[in-house]
């Protein structure tokens, strides 16, 4: 089932830009974001996010399988 993904424009202290599901708890307060699209997996969303930011990483809460740092 496809889900909606976004990337945060605000850089994390380690330089990452986190990818979130639209249903993520941490997404609710995130106003500075780019809509990535609908994807089956967070891996697909990360690939799309890397078109905007070289260092993209999954949110530990909503995209834990794509969280690497």
């Amino acid at each position: 089932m496809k889900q909606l993904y976004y990337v945060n424009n605000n850089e994390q202290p380690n330089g990452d830009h986190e990818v979130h599901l639209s249903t993520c708890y941490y997404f609710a307060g995130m106003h500075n974001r780019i809509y990535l699209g609908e994807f089956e997996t967070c891996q697909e969303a990360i690939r799309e996010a890397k078109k905007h930011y070289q260092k993209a990483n999954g949110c530990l809460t909503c995209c834990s399988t794509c969280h690497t740092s």
Side-chain angles (χ1 to χ4, degrees), residues 49-69:
K50 287 186 176 186
K51 293 177 182 177
H52 301 276
Y53 299 108
Q54 184 179 8
K55 287 190 73 181
N57 193 10
C59 168
L60 179 60
T61 301
C62 67
C63 299
S64 60
T65 58
C66 290
H67 180 78
T68 58
S69 61

Side-chain angles (χ1 to χ4, degrees), residues 32-49:
N32 203 5
R33 61 188 181 231
I34 297 171
Y35 175 66
L36 297 173
E38 292 184 46
F39 301 99
E40 294 282 340
T41 67
C42 60
Q43 290 86 356
E44 294 172 291
I46 295 289
R47 277 194 297 277
E48 184 64 26

